[in-house]
Protein backbone atom coordinates (compact mmCIF):
# COMPACT_ATOMS: atom_id res chain seq x y z
CA UNK A 1 0.00 0.00 0.00
CA UNK A 2 1.00 3.66 -0.23
CA UNK A 3 3.33 5.61 2.01
CA UNK A 4 0.55 7.86 3.38
CA UNK A 5 -1.49 5.34 5.36
CA UNK A 6 -4.04 7.66 6.95
CA UNK A 7 -7.12 5.44 6.56
CA UNK A 8 -7.80 2.65 9.09
CA UNK A 9 -9.66 -0.17 7.38
CA UNK A 10 -10.80 -3.77 7.74
CA UNK A 11 -9.64 -5.44 4.55
CA UNK A 12 -10.92 -8.77 3.19
CA UNK A 13 -8.33 -10.71 1.19
CA UNK A 14 -8.10 -14.02 -0.59
CA UNK A 15 -5.19 -16.46 -0.86
CA UNK A 16 -4.68 -20.18 -1.48
CA UNK A 17 -5.55 -20.65 2.20
CA UNK A 18 -8.97 -19.04 1.65
CA UNK A 19 -10.64 -15.76 2.59
CA UNK A 20 -9.29 -13.78 5.54
CA UNK A 21 -9.87 -10.33 6.97
CA UNK A 22 -7.64 -8.04 9.04
CA UNK A 23 -7.23 -4.45 10.14
CA UNK A 24 -4.78 -2.49 8.01
CA UNK A 25 -3.97 1.07 6.97
CA UNK A 26 -4.55 2.49 3.51
CA UNK A 27 -3.70 5.77 1.84
CA UNK A 28 -6.53 7.96 0.57
CA UNK A 29 -5.17 7.27 -2.91
CA UNK A 30 -5.89 3.55 -2.37
CA UNK A 31 -9.64 4.19 -2.07
CA UNK A 32 -11.73 3.34 -5.11
CA UNK A 33 -12.95 6.16 -7.35
CA UNK A 34 -16.21 8.00 -6.68
CA UNK A 35 -17.60 11.51 -6.54
CA UNK A 36 -18.26 11.56 -2.79
CA UNK A 37 -15.74 11.08 0.02
CA UNK A 38 -17.19 10.47 3.48
CA UNK A 39 -15.67 10.55 6.97
CA UNK A 40 -17.30 7.38 8.31
CA UNK A 41 -18.99 7.62 11.70
CA UNK A 42 -20.76 4.25 11.75
CA UNK A 43 -20.91 1.04 9.75
CA UNK A 44 -22.82 -2.15 10.55
CA UNK A 45 -22.70 -5.93 10.30
CA UNK A 46 -25.37 -7.24 7.96
CA UNK A 47 -25.68 -11.00 7.39
CA UNK A 48 -24.06 -10.41 3.99
CA UNK A 49 -21.09 -8.68 5.66
CA UNK A 50 -20.56 -11.67 7.93
CA UNK A 51 -20.68 -14.06 4.96
CA UNK A 52 -18.21 -11.83 3.10
CA UNK A 53 -15.64 -11.42 5.88
CA UNK A 54 -15.60 -15.08 6.87
CA UNK A 55 -15.65 -16.41 3.30
CA UNK A 56 -18.76 -18.48 4.19
CA UNK A 57 -20.51 -16.93 1.20
CA UNK A 58 -19.05 -15.86 -2.13
CA UNK A 59 -19.91 -12.23 -1.64
CA UNK A 60 -16.70 -10.35 -2.44
CA UNK A 61 -16.26 -9.83 -6.17
CA UNK A 62 -12.91 -8.01 -6.06
CA UNK A 63 -10.10 -8.87 -3.64
CA UNK A 64 -8.74 -7.24 -1.61
CA UNK A 65 -11.82 -5.28 -0.60
CA UNK A 66 -12.65 -3.19 2.46
CA UNK A 67 -15.79 -4.82 3.85
CA UNK A 68 -18.98 -3.13 5.04
CA UNK A 69 -22.01 -2.80 2.75
CA UNK A 70 -23.29 0.32 4.53
CA UNK A 71 -21.90 3.33 6.37
CA UNK A 72 -23.12 6.65 7.69
CA UNK A 73 -20.95 9.71 8.02
CA UNK A 74 -20.15 13.24 6.93
CA UNK A 75 -19.14 14.32 3.43
CA UNK A 76 -15.58 15.71 3.35
CA UNK A 77 -15.25 16.16 -0.42
CA UNK A 78 -17.66 15.99 -3.34
CA UNK A 79 -17.49 16.32 -7.11
CA UNK A 80 -21.27 15.83 -7.29
CA UNK A 81 -23.40 18.98 -7.16
CA UNK A 82 -26.05 17.39 -4.91
CA UNK A 83 -23.55 16.84 -2.05
CA UNK A 84 -21.30 19.28 -0.22
CA UNK A 85 -18.82 18.99 2.64
CA UNK A 86 -20.63 18.74 5.95
CA UNK A 87 -23.66 16.84 4.59
CA UNK A 88 -24.69 13.87 6.71
CA UNK A 89 -25.19 10.85 4.45
CA UNK A 90 -25.72 7.12 4.27
CA UNK A 91 -23.84 5.04 1.70
CA UNK A 92 -25.03 1.59 0.61
CA UNK A 93 -25.85 -0.64 -2.30
CA UNK A 94 -24.43 -1.72 -5.64
CA UNK A 95 -20.72 -2.55 -5.24
CA UNK A 96 -20.14 -0.94 -1.83
CA UNK A 97 -18.25 -3.43 0.36
CA UNK A 98 -18.48 -6.07 -2.37
CA UNK A 99 -16.54 -4.96 -5.47
CA UNK A 100 -15.61 -1.47 -4.23
CA UNK A 101 -14.05 -0.59 -0.87
CA UNK A 102 -16.86 -0.35 1.70
CA UNK A 103 -17.74 1.11 5.06
CA UNK A 104 -15.29 -0.60 7.44
CA UNK A 105 -12.86 2.31 7.16
CA UNK A 106 -12.39 5.74 8.62
CA UNK A 107 -12.84 7.17 5.11
CA UNK A 108 -15.03 5.88 2.27
CA UNK A 109 -15.36 7.06 -1.32
CA UNK A 110 -18.33 6.11 -3.52
CA UNK A 111 -20.27 7.11 -6.63
CA UNK A 112 -22.95 9.70 -5.85
CA UNK A 113 -25.71 7.26 -6.88
CA UNK A 114 -24.82 5.08 -3.86
CA UNK A 115 -25.14 8.00 -1.40
CA UNK A 116 -28.25 9.52 0.21
CA UNK A 117 -28.40 12.67 2.30
CA UNK A 118 -30.08 11.89 5.62
CA UNK A 119 -33.72 13.01 5.74
CA UNK A 120 -34.48 15.83 8.18
CA UNK A 121 -34.60 14.60 11.77
CA UNK A 122 -32.64 11.39 11.17
CA UNK A 123 -29.32 11.00 13.03
CA UNK A 124 -26.23 9.19 11.74
CA UNK A 125 -26.84 6.49 14.37
CA UNK A 126 -30.50 6.09 13.36
CA UNK A 127 -29.49 5.89 9.71
CA UNK A 128 -26.98 3.08 10.22
CA UNK A 129 -29.23 1.24 12.66
CA UNK A 130 -31.56 1.07 9.68
CA UNK A 131 -28.76 0.58 7.12
CA UNK A 132 -29.26 -1.91 4.30
CA UNK A 133 -31.44 -4.05 6.58
CA UNK A 134 -33.87 -1.27 7.47
CA UNK A 135 -33.87 0.15 3.95
CA UNK A 136 -34.78 -3.31 2.61
CA UNK A 137 -37.48 -3.78 5.24
CA UNK A 138 -39.05 -0.47 4.20
CA UNK A 139 -38.66 -1.29 0.50
CA UNK A 140 -40.44 -4.60 1.10
CA UNK A 141 -43.31 -3.00 3.01
CA UNK A 142 -43.62 -0.28 0.36
CA UNK A 143 -43.94 -2.98 -2.33
CA UNK A 144 -46.35 -5.05 -0.24
CA UNK A 145 -48.65 -2.08 0.34
CA UNK A 146 -48.63 -1.33 -3.40
CA UNK A 147 -49.84 -4.92 -3.77
CA UNK A 148 -52.72 -4.70 -1.34
CA UNK A 149 -51.27 -5.14 2.16
CA UNK A 150 -53.42 -3.18 4.62
CA UNK A 151 -53.75 -3.16 8.42
CA UNK A 152 -57.46 -4.03 8.12
CA UNK A 153 -56.79 -7.33 6.36
CA UNK A 154 -55.24 -9.42 9.12
CA UNK A 155 -51.97 -10.71 10.49
CA UNK A 156 -48.55 -10.24 8.89
CA UNK A 157 -45.86 -12.82 9.64
CA UNK A 158 -42.20 -11.83 10.01
CA UNK A 159 -39.72 -14.72 10.20
CA UNK A 160 -36.08 -14.79 11.34
CA UNK A 161 -37.61 -12.30 13.75
CA UNK A 162 -34.59 -11.39 15.86
CA UNK A 163 -32.53 -10.56 12.73
CA UNK A 164 -31.82 -7.08 11.40
CA UNK A 165 -34.27 -6.98 8.48
CA UNK A 166 -36.93 -8.64 10.60
CA UNK A 167 -36.50 -6.50 13.73
CA UNK A 168 -36.94 -3.33 11.70
CA UNK A 169 -39.84 -4.88 9.76
CA UNK A 170 -41.67 -5.65 13.01
CA UNK A 171 -41.14 -2.09 14.24
CA UNK A 172 -42.30 -0.52 10.95
CA UNK A 173 -45.34 -2.77 10.52
CA UNK A 174 -46.50 -2.35 14.13
CA UNK A 175 -46.08 1.42 13.86
CA UNK A 176 -48.35 1.34 10.76
CA UNK A 177 -51.04 -0.49 12.72
CA UNK A 178 -50.47 -4.03 11.46
CA UNK A 179 -50.96 -7.06 13.68
CA UNK A 180 -47.50 -8.64 13.55
CA UNK A 181 -46.71 -12.30 14.20
CA UNK A 182 -42.99 -12.78 14.88
CA UNK A 183 -41.54 -16.22 14.13
CA UNK A 184 -38.17 -16.97 15.67
CA UNK A 185 -35.74 -19.78 16.34
CA UNK A 186 -35.01 -18.05 19.65
CA UNK A 187 -38.33 -18.04 21.56
CA UNK A 188 -36.52 -16.77 24.68
CA UNK A 189 -36.33 -13.44 22.80
CA UNK A 190 -40.12 -13.06 22.88
CA UNK A 191 -39.99 -10.06 25.28
CA UNK A 192 -37.69 -8.19 22.85
CA UNK A 193 -39.98 -8.96 19.91
CA UNK A 194 -43.06 -7.82 21.82
CA UNK A 195 -41.27 -4.57 22.74
CA UNK A 196 -40.74 -3.93 19.02
CA UNK A 197 -44.47 -4.35 18.46
CA UNK A 198 -45.13 -8.04 17.76
CA UNK A 199 -48.53 -9.02 19.11
CA UNK A 200 -47.77 -12.73 18.87
CA UNK A 201 -44.47 -14.66 18.99
CA UNK A 202 -44.25 -18.19 17.61
CA UNK A 203 -41.24 -20.52 17.84
CA UNK A 204 -40.20 -21.65 14.35
CA UNK A 205 -40.56 -25.25 15.50
CA UNK A 206 -44.25 -24.65 16.29
CA UNK A 207 -45.21 -23.37 12.85
CA UNK A 208 -47.52 -25.60 10.79
CA UNK A 209 -45.40 -28.18 8.97
CA UNK A 210 -47.86 -29.68 6.49
CA UNK A 211 -46.83 -30.58 2.96
CA UNK A 212 -50.10 -30.06 1.07
CA UNK A 213 -50.11 -27.60 -1.84
CA UNK A 214 -52.50 -25.43 0.19
CA UNK A 215 -52.43 -25.36 3.99
CA UNK A 216 -54.85 -23.41 6.23
CA UNK A 217 -54.66 -19.73 5.24
CA UNK A 218 -53.44 -17.78 8.25
CA UNK A 219 -51.70 -14.56 7.23
CA UNK A 220 -52.45 -11.69 4.85
CA UNK A 221 -48.76 -11.33 4.20
CA UNK A 222 -45.22 -12.16 5.25
CA UNK A 223 -41.75 -10.65 5.30
CA UNK A 224 -39.38 -13.52 4.57
CA UNK A 225 -35.69 -13.32 5.51
CA UNK A 226 -35.17 -17.06 5.26
CA UNK A 227 -36.00 -18.57 1.85
CA UNK A 228 -35.82 -22.40 1.78
CA UNK A 229 -38.46 -24.48 3.57
CA UNK A 230 -39.89 -21.52 5.55
CA UNK A 231 -40.66 -19.67 2.30
CA UNK A 232 -42.24 -22.79 0.86
CA UNK A 233 -44.59 -22.97 3.87
CA UNK A 234 -45.41 -19.27 3.57
CA UNK A 235 -46.55 -19.63 -0.04
CA UNK A 236 -48.92 -22.39 1.11
CA UNK A 237 -50.30 -20.68 4.22
CA UNK A 238 -50.94 -17.10 3.05
CA UNK A 239 -54.56 -16.05 2.57
CA UNK A 240 -56.30 -15.22 -0.67
CA UNK A 241 -54.66 -12.23 -2.39
CA UNK A 242 -51.90 -12.32 0.24
CA UNK A 243 -48.46 -10.81 -0.34
CA UNK A 244 -45.01 -12.20 0.50
CA UNK A 245 -41.82 -10.14 0.33
CA UNK A 246 -38.95 -12.53 -0.49
CA UNK A 247 -35.94 -10.76 0.98
CA UNK A 248 -33.40 -13.28 2.24
CA UNK A 249 -31.95 -16.75 2.18
CA UNK A 250 -30.72 -17.37 5.74
CA UNK A 251 -32.36 -20.84 5.73
CA UNK A 252 -31.67 -21.80 2.12
CA UNK A 253 -31.49 -20.80 -1.51
CA UNK A 254 -34.04 -23.19 -2.93
CA UNK A 255 -37.69 -23.77 -2.11
CA UNK A 256 -40.43 -25.88 -3.58
CA UNK A 257 -44.09 -25.07 -3.91
CA UNK A 258 -46.77 -25.56 -6.54
CA UNK A 259 -48.73 -23.14 -8.68
CA UNK A 260 -51.81 -23.69 -6.47
CA UNK A 261 -51.21 -20.73 -4.09
CA UNK A 262 -50.76 -18.47 -7.09
CA UNK A 263 -53.73 -19.57 -9.21
CA UNK A 264 -56.23 -20.51 -6.48
CA UNK A 265 -55.39 -17.88 -3.86
CA UNK A 266 -53.82 -15.19 -6.02
CA UNK A 267 -50.78 -15.12 -3.74
CA UNK A 268 -48.23 -12.50 -4.79
CA UNK A 269 -44.59 -13.36 -4.26
CA UNK A 270 -42.56 -10.16 -4.49
CA UNK A 271 -38.81 -10.29 -5.02
CA UNK A 272 -37.08 -7.51 -3.09
CA UNK A 273 -33.66 -6.24 -4.14
CA UNK A 274 -32.07 -3.28 -2.38
CA UNK A 275 -29.75 -2.18 -5.22
CA UNK A 276 -31.93 0.66 -6.41
CA UNK A 277 -31.44 3.83 -8.40
CA UNK A 278 -31.59 7.28 -6.75
CA UNK A 279 -35.34 8.06 -7.16
CA UNK A 280 -36.49 4.90 -5.39
CA UNK A 281 -33.75 5.21 -2.74
CA UNK A 282 -34.87 8.77 -2.01
CA UNK A 283 -38.52 7.67 -1.78
CA UNK A 284 -37.72 4.87 0.69
CA UNK A 285 -35.39 6.96 2.90
CA UNK A 286 -38.01 9.74 3.01
CA UNK A 287 -40.68 7.24 4.07
CA UNK A 288 -38.33 6.00 6.84
CA UNK A 289 -38.26 9.55 8.18
CA UNK A 290 -42.01 10.17 7.87
CA UNK A 291 -44.91 7.71 7.64
CA UNK A 292 -42.68 4.62 8.06
CA UNK A 293 -40.58 6.13 10.85
CA UNK A 294 -39.47 3.40 13.29
CA UNK A 295 -40.03 3.77 17.03
CA UNK A 296 -37.54 1.34 18.55
CA UNK A 297 -34.16 1.89 16.89
CA UNK A 298 -32.38 2.36 20.23
CA UNK A 299 -33.67 -1.06 21.30
CA UNK A 300 -32.67 -2.66 17.98
CA UNK A 301 -29.11 -1.25 17.86
CA UNK A 302 -26.16 -2.91 19.54
CA UNK A 303 -23.20 -0.54 19.18
CA UNK A 304 -19.63 -1.87 19.37
CA UNK A 305 -16.28 -0.16 18.76
CA UNK A 306 -14.37 -0.63 15.49
CA UNK A 307 -11.70 -2.79 17.13
CA UNK A 308 -14.37 -5.35 18.10
CA UNK A 309 -15.58 -5.79 14.52
CA UNK A 310 -14.12 -9.35 14.12
CA UNK A 311 -15.97 -10.55 17.23
CA UNK A 312 -19.17 -8.83 16.05
CA UNK A 313 -18.90 -10.61 12.69
CA UNK A 314 -18.44 -13.96 14.47
CA UNK A 315 -21.56 -13.28 16.56
CA UNK A 316 -23.65 -12.61 13.44
CA UNK A 317 -22.38 -15.65 11.55
CA UNK A 318 -22.85 -17.76 14.69
CA UNK A 319 -26.47 -16.67 15.06
CA UNK A 320 -25.84 -15.03 18.46
CA UNK A 321 -26.53 -11.44 17.40
CA UNK A 322 -29.90 -9.73 17.80
CA UNK A 323 -31.29 -6.78 15.89
CA UNK A 324 -28.67 -4.59 14.24
CA UNK A 325 -24.97 -4.66 15.07
CA UNK A 326 -23.62 -1.12 14.64
CA UNK A 327 -19.87 -0.45 14.43
CA UNK A 328 -18.72 2.89 15.81
CA UNK A 329 -15.83 3.99 13.59
CA UNK A 330 -15.44 7.75 13.96
CA UNK A 331 -15.71 10.07 16.90
N1 LIG B 1 -32.83 -8.67 -0.92
C1 LIG B 1 -31.97 -7.78 -0.45
O1 LIG B 1 -31.62 -6.79 -1.10
C2 LIG B 1 -31.44 -7.99 0.94
C3 LIG B 1 -31.06 -6.91 1.74
C4 LIG B 1 -30.69 -7.15 3.07
C5 LIG B 1 -30.66 -8.46 3.54
N2 LIG B 1 -30.97 -9.49 2.72
C6 LIG B 1 -30.98 -10.88 3.20
O2 LIG B 1 -31.97 -10.98 4.20
C7 LIG B 1 -31.59 -11.99 5.14
C8 LIG B 1 -31.60 -11.38 6.55
O3 LIG B 1 -30.56 -10.42 6.64
P1 LIG B 1 -30.18 -9.78 8.05
O4 LIG B 1 -29.08 -8.82 7.82
O5 LIG B 1 -31.43 -9.38 8.73
O6 LIG B 1 -29.58 -11.09 8.78
P2 LIG B 1 -29.47 -11.40 10.34
O7 LIG B 1 -29.52 -10.16 11.13
O8 LIG B 1 -28.34 -12.34 10.50
O9 LIG B 1 -30.86 -12.16 10.63
C9 LIG B 1 -31.16 -13.41 10.09
C10 LIG B 1 -32.10 -14.12 11.06
O10 LIG B 1 -32.56 -15.31 10.45
C11 LIG B 1 -32.65 -16.36 11.41
N3 LIG B 1 -31.74 -17.43 10.94
C12 LIG B 1 -30.41 -17.36 10.80
N4 LIG B 1 -29.92 -18.52 10.31
C13 LIG B 1 -30.97 -19.32 10.14
C14 LIG B 1 -31.14 -20.65 9.65
N5 LIG B 1 -30.09 -21.39 9.24
N6 LIG B 1 -32.38 -21.16 9.60
C15 LIG B 1 -33.44 -20.45 9.99
N7 LIG B 1 -33.35 -19.18 10.48
C16 LIG B 1 -32.13 -18.63 10.53
C17 LIG B 1 -32.26 -15.78 12.76
O11 LIG B 1 -33.45 -15.28 13.38
P3 LIG B 1 -34.26 -16.10 14.51
O12 LIG B 1 -33.25 -16.82 15.34
O13 LIG B 1 -35.01 -15.05 15.26
O14 LIG B 1 -35.18 -17.04 13.79
C18 LIG B 1 -31.41 -14.59 12.35
O15 LIG B 1 -31.42 -13.58 13.32
C19 LIG B 1 -30.22 -12.49 4.70
O16 LIG B 1 -30.38 -13.66 3.91
C20 LIG B 1 -29.69 -11.34 3.85
O17 LIG B 1 -28.73 -11.76 2.92
C21 LIG B 1 -31.36 -9.28 1.43
Amino acid sequence: MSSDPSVSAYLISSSDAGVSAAFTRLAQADLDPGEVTVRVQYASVNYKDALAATGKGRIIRRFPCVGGIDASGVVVASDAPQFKPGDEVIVHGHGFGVSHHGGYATLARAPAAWVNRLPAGMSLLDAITLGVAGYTAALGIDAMELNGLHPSKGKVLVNGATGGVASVSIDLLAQRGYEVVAVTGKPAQAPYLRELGASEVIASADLPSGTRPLEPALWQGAVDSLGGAPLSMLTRSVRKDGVIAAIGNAAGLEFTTSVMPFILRGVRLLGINSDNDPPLREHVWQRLATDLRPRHLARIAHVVPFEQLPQAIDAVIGGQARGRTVIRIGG
Side-chain angles (χ1 to χ4, degrees):
M1 298 294 169
S2 153
S3 58
D4 170 28
S6 62
V7 182
S8 296
Y10 192 67
L11 192 69
I12 303 172
S13 306
S14 177
S15 69
D16 291 345
V19 172
S20 60
F23 287 105
T24 188
R25 294 191 79 83
L26 305 175
Q28 292 194 29
D30 296 326
L31 296 178
D32 287 313
E35 295 95 357
V36 187
T37 305
V38 176
R39 175 78 53 201
V40 177
Q41 184 76 26
Y42 298 105
S44 84
V45 184
N46 295 272
Y47 188 70
K48 187 172 173 179
D49 291 311
L51 291 174
T54 57
K56 291 193 188 305
R58 287 189 192 168
I59 304 294
I60 301 295
R61 286 186 251 125
R62 193 277 325 265
F63 291 102
C65 189
V66 173
I69 64 169
D70 49 23
S72 67
V74 178
V75 172
V76 291
S78 172
D79 294 328
Q82 64 271 44
F83 297 106
K84 60 180 189 317
D87 284 349
E88 293 190 329
V89 295
I90 177 124
V91 189
H92 67 91
H94 303 280
F96 198 62
V98 172
S99 58
H100 182 112
H101 289 320
Y104 296 155
T106 48
L107 210 62
R109 189 179 296 133
W114 305 359
V115 183
N116 282 75
R117 188 178 298 102
L118 298 195
M122 186 180 287
S123 71
L124 289 169
L125 180 56
D126 285 351
I128 200 65
T129 301
L130 290 163
V132 170
Y135 174 87
T136 309
L139 182 68
I141 293 166
D142 188 74
M144 292 168 87
E145 289 186 337
L146 285 172
N147 281 274
L149 199 79
H150 191 275
S152 65
K153 293 186 184 170
K155 299 177 181 180
V156 180
L157 182 150
V158 179
N159 63 18
T162 63
V165 170
S167 290
V168 177
S169 297
I170 293 167
D171 190 359
L172 301 184
L173 287 164
Q175 175 270 99
R176 298 274 291 160
Y178 288 94
E179 190 179 346
V180 182
V181 178
V183 177
T184 178
K186 306 182 191 83
Q189 292 292 337
Y192 164 74
L193 298 169
R194 287 187 188 280
E195 273 180 69
L196 300 187
S199 50
E200 198 179 332
V201 179
I202 301 179
S204 324
D206 295 338
L207 270 185
S209 57
T211 55
R212 290 173 295 181
L214 294 174
E215 293 289 339
L218 302 172
W219 343 99
Q220 69 151 322
V223 178
D224 177 60
S225 289
L226 302 182
L231 178 56
S232 169
M233 176 51 83
L234 286 176
T235 61
R236 295 179 287 114
S237 59
V238 161
R239 283 190 197 161
K240 187 161 185 318
D241 297 325
V243 198
I244 302 169
I247 289 180
N249 61 352
L253 295 180
E254 294 176 7
F255 70 101
T256 54
T257 190
S258 75
V259 296
M260 302 303 256
F262 307 107
I263 63 176
L264 292 186
R265 286 187 181 159
V267 169
R268 291 159 207 184
L269 180 57
L270 309 179
I272 305 298
N273 179 277
S274 56
D275 278 347
N276 308 131
D277 290 334
L280 181 53
R281 291 170 61 111
E282 183 64 20
H283 167 73
V284 172
W285 278 108
Q286 283 301 332
R287 282 202 75 184
L288 280 165
T290 53
D291 64 319
L292 272 185
R293 193 180 180 93
R295 295 181 295 191
H296 300 292
L297 290 183
R299 195 78 187 90
I300 291 170
H302 172 58
V303 184
V304 301
F306 196 15
E307 58 270 23
Q308 287 175 21
L309 174 60
Q311 294 89 327
I313 287 169
D314 287 345
V316 170
I317 210 74
Q320 293 128 19
R322 183 184 81 179
R324 293 275 298 139
T325 302
V326 169
I327 308 299
R328 186 190 302 278
I329 292 185

